[in-house]
């Protein structure tokens, strides 16, 4: 990317960042509810949710847009992060649950009277956060190691990631896993002593999410400028060449896969306290597919694209699922097809695409060659164009 | 066969079967250091499979493949073989279309290949000088900041050869470099390869006989996965077996 457009992008990100991190929360906190400038608690909550989705979208794009690995299972890592946060939040309910027991309600319901051992360390916030990084990393590392070592690429990789998230989804549906079964975790009360039902706590979470997204963006932005980032895109464009330049591409892909899992997990960690629930349906394959649509709509292979896509598609979803609940999925599918066919660079690439169209229709056409030798030369050039041969 | 110490590449009694199809059978091939060798052969003769075997993309069923004095290539992975100094140019131009010409060469320069190193390495002045040198060699100076995707077909092929030079490959394996090129580009490619002769050992696989005549000192003809004959251009062209394989001409005495 030429430095000029990169600078413009950073300026735009800085402006939008200040808007989300400072202005929106202030408008929510200090402008009285009647004023037209007031931002409601509901809006803060909804936008907070979108910001979490943007983290998931960035993780999809880091794999798909930058490394050419289409993962249809990123929501798994998002959910794993969410579950780790959820376990801590469940412990913070204390005895305030329906059964007034010191253990989570669903365990009482399943006939447990003591806390299972693996639940015990989740009384500590720091442990839960460590697990939110560790668990997705380990899952991604094991899966990635096996997949990349066996040179699984393209559509096979996509199908395998989808199978992985579906398998995890079925696993978490089981009550015997002691992770809440199909109801998952809900009815959270406190996070680090703050009441989750208070607007101030939600506002704090919103700011945390916006900050996390900004940091994730900056980290990815930095990576794309390093030699590593260039190798990442080289793998996307011509993996064989990278391999035959002496790089073990499997290691590079593994690194990106684990990093993407951590970013997705971070999104999940922040999502759960704002939405107030986590259950296995978050791992269902269609959640991951939706994330791919956000990235495609926003513009893959850019870092702003996924954020824009996550915001717009979800804003549209919020509106459409209320106005036309039956048509939403059809609409989502149609949007994906339209974007794939006509807007390969997504919304972010639209200005460049329009500029190219304008040039094509309004620019003077190059004069056709008139002399015979010129015509022969041109025909020959066309005939000798390389034909891609299968390897 | 006596084992000469000067061989840079040696294949002995190599066999490879793909699901019943014998792609390589009892292939024995020696190459001297600094030699430019052209391999020709009809479709399906096993030319590309031979390169796959040397570069570790596929493993032989039996036989020995050695590089230099005594490095057994059959046990190593592709990146490891590449790091030994064996560079391969693919049939279709394989360059990073979204990177500039400069970056293409930079990523190929020999040096550390670890993930951590690449996160923190920057272009050094020595690297910059080396890249400029390589770009001159492959006549792409002045194109350093062009995206590789915007190059012509021929220029992409040269860029890829430049990438092999950046790897500091001792042995270059070049698969059909002239395919799809104009006559002028083909000739220039020939000159480029000839200028590298001696400094590098080069194996060229080619179909275009004009091109072969331009560059070839010694030709190896492959047929049905084994060496049919070896020799100079004239020797090979006058060899009856070669004519038979290429033209399907029956020998007179058998008619």
């Amino acid at each position: 990317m030429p430095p000029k457009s990169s600078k413009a992008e950073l300026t735009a990100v800085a402006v939008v960042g200040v808007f989300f991190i400072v202005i929106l929360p202030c408008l929510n906190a200090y402008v009285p509810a009647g004023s037209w400038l007031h931002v409601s608690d509901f809006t803060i909550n909804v936008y907070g949710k979108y910001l979490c989705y943007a983290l998931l979208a960035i993780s999809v794009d880091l794999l798909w847009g930058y490394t050419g690995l289409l993962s249809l299972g990123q929501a798994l890592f998002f959910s794993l992060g969410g579950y780790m946060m959820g376990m801590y939040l469940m412990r913070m309910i204390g005895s305030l649950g329906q059964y007034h027991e010191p253990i989570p309600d669903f365990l009482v319901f399943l006939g447990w009277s003591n806390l299972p051992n693996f639940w015990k360390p989740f009384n500590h916030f720091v442990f839960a956060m460590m697990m939110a990084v560790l668990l997705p990393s380990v899952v991604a590392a094991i899966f990635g190691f096996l997949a990349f070592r066996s040179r699984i690429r393209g559509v096979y990789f996509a199908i395998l990631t989808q199978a992985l998230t579906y398998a995890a989804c079925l696993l978490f549906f089981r009550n015997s896993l002691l992770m809440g079964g199909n109801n998952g975790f809900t009815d959270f009360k406190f996070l680090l002593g703050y009441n989750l039902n208070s607007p101030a706590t939600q506002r704090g979470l919103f700011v945390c999410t916006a900050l996390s997204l900004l940091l994730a963006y900056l980290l990815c932005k930095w990576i794309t400028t390093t030699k590593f980032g260039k190798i990442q895109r080289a793998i996307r464009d011509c993996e064989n060449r990278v391999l035959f330049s002496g790089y073990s591409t499997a290691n590079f892909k593994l690194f990106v896969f684990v990093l993407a899992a951590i970013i997705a997990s971070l999104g999940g960690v922040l999502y759960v306290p704002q939405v107030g629930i986590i259950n296995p349906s978050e791992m269902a394959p269609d959640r991951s597919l939706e994330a791919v649509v956000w990235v495609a709509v926003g513009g893959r292979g850019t870092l702003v694209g996924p954020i824009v896509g996550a915001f717009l598609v979800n804003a549209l979803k919020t509106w459409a699922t209320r106005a036309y609940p039956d048509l939403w999925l059809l609409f989502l599918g149609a949007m994906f097809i339209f974007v794939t066919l006509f807007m390969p660079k997504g919304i972010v690439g639209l200005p460049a695409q329009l500029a190219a169209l304008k040039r094509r229709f309004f620019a003077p056409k190059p004069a056709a060659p008139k002399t015979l030798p010129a015509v022969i030369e041109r025909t020959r050039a066309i005939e000798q164009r390389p034909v891609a041969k299968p390897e | 066969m006596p084992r000469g110490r000067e061989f840079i590449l040696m294949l002995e009694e190599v066999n490879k079967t793909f699901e019943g199809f014998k792609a390589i059978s009892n292939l024995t091939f020696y190459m001297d250091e600094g030699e430019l060798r052209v391999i020709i052969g009809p479709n399906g003769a096993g030319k590309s499979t031979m390169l796959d075997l040397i570069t570790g993309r596929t493993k032989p069923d039996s036989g020995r493949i050695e590089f230099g004095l005594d490095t057994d290539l059959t046990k190593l992975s592709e990146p490891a073989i590449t790091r030994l100094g064996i560079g391969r140019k693919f049939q279709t131009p394989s360059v990073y279309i979204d990177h500039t010409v400069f970056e293409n060469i930079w990523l190929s320069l020999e040096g550390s290949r670890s993930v951590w190193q690449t996160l923190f390495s920057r272009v050094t002045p020595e690297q910059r000088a080396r890249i400029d040198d390589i770009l001159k060699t492959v006549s792409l100076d002045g194109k350093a900041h062009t995206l590789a995707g915007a190059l012509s077909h021929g220029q992409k092929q040269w860029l890829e050869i430049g990438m092999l030079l950046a790897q500091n490959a001792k042995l270059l394996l070049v698969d059909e470099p002239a395919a799809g090129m104009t006559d002028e580009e083909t000739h220039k490619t020939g000159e480029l390869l000839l200028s590298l002769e001696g400094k590098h050992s080069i194996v060229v696989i080619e179909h275009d006989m004009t091109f072969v005549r331009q560059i070839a000192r010694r030709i190896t003809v492959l047929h049905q996965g084994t060496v049919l004959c070896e020799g100079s251009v004239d020797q090979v062209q006058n060899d009856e077996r070669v004519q038979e394989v290429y033209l399907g001409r029956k020998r007179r005495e058998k008619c």
Side-chain angles (χ1 to χ4, degrees), chain B residues 11-246:
Chain B
L11 286 82
E12 274 179 347
E13 307 279 310
V14 175
N15 285 287
K16 177 73 192 174
T17 307
F18 292 111
E19 290 164 20
F21 171 69
K22 211 152 175 40
I24 297 286
S25 79
N26 269 332
L27 177 68
T28 297
F29 178 88
Y30 299 93
M31 209 179 120
D32 292 336
E33 186 137 17
E35 194 186 343
L36 195 167
R37 178 78 66 93
V38 178
I39 298 181
I40 62 170
N43 284 332
K47 303 184 295 290
S48 293
T49 309
M50 181 176 156
L51 295 195
D52 284 348
L53 287 167
I54 296 169
T55 53
R57 204 174 202 199
T58 49
K59 299 288 166 199
D61 301 334
S62 66
R64 285 187 302 162
I65 305 177
E66 285 178 17
F67 177 64
L69 289 180
D70 47 7
T71 314
D72 183 0
L73 296 183
T74 58
K75 303 271 186 301
L76 299 171
S77 70
E78 292 121 310
I81 290 176
T82 305
R83 286 193 289 256
L84 283 177
I86 298 184
R88 177 174 185 179
K89 207 206 93 39
F90 291 96
Q91 211 165 325
T92 44
S94 305
V95 295
Y96 314 134
I97 50 172
D98 237 18
H99 290 318
T100 63
V101 168
F102 184 89
E103 288 168 336
N104 267 273
I105 302 277
W106 182 46
L107 293 186
S108 311
L109 279 182
E110 65 194 314
S112 169
R113 295 318 201 203
S114 86
V115 171
W116 286 112
Q117 288 282 330
T118 58
L119 274 171
F120 302 103
S121 69
R122 289 273 174 271
V123 188
T124 63
E126 296 86 59
Q127 286 181 327
R128 201 172 286 280
R130 175 99 196 281
I131 293 170
D132 287 343
D133 261 4
I134 292 168
L135 289 181
K136 273 197 199 90
T137 311
V138 297
S139 350
L140 286 174
D141 40 340
K143 295 265 180 197
H145 299 291
T146 312
L147 284 186
L151 295 179
S152 76
H153 175 72
Q155 288 170 330
K156 279 184 195 156
Q157 301 276 42
W158 298 333
L159 174 57
E160 205 183 340
I161 292 174
M163 289 160 80
L164 300 192
L165 297 180
Q167 272 166 239
N168 210 5
K170 294 191 200 85
L171 173 64
L172 307 182
L173 306 170
V174 187
D175 201 348
E176 297 200 22
M181 281 188 175
T182 62
D183 291 347
E184 197 196 327
E185 285 174 330
T186 305
H187 186 75
K188 227 169 145 184
T189 308
E191 281 178 352
L192 170 60
L193 290 174
L194 286 172
S195 76
L196 299 176
E197 189 189 7
K199 281 176 268 178
H200 305 262
S201 313
I202 310 172
V203 174
V204 180
I205 288 183
E206 194 45 71
H207 277 305
D208 182 341
M209 281 315 286
T210 331
F211 181 65
V212 170
R213 219 166 284 125
Q214 183 196 346
I215 62 169
R217 305 277 187 268
R218 204 172 156 76
I219 298 181
T220 299
V221 186
L222 279 194
H223 178 54
Q224 292 177 347
T226 193
V227 175
L228 189 68
C229 77
E230 247 171 36
S232 68
V233 183
D234 292 328
Q235 277 173 334
V236 164
Q237 282 202 318
N238 294 324
D239 189 293
E240 286 195 335
R241 290 168 304 170
V242 176
Q243 291 172 357
E244 195 181 320
V245 164
Y246 265 96

Side-chain angles (χ1 to χ4, degrees), chain A residues 62-117:
Chain A
L62 202 55
L63 289 167
W64 186 34
Y66 282 94
T67 324
L69 291 166
L70 175 56
S71 166
L72 298 182
Q74 279 317 95
L76 167 64
F77 303 114
F78 184 84
S79 309
L80 286 179
Y83 264 101
M84 294 303 104
M85 179 56 128
M87 286 175 85
Y88 165 75
L89 294 176
M90 286 305 269
R91 294 301 300 132
M92 291 303 107
I93 296 173
S95 308
L96 296 172
Q98 301 289 322
Y99 295 108
H100 300 289
E101 295 280 344
I103 62 172
D105 279 350
F106 77 90
L107 286 172
V108 180
F109 185 75
L110 290 174
W112 285 71
S113 47
N114 293 316
L115 199 63
N117 276 330

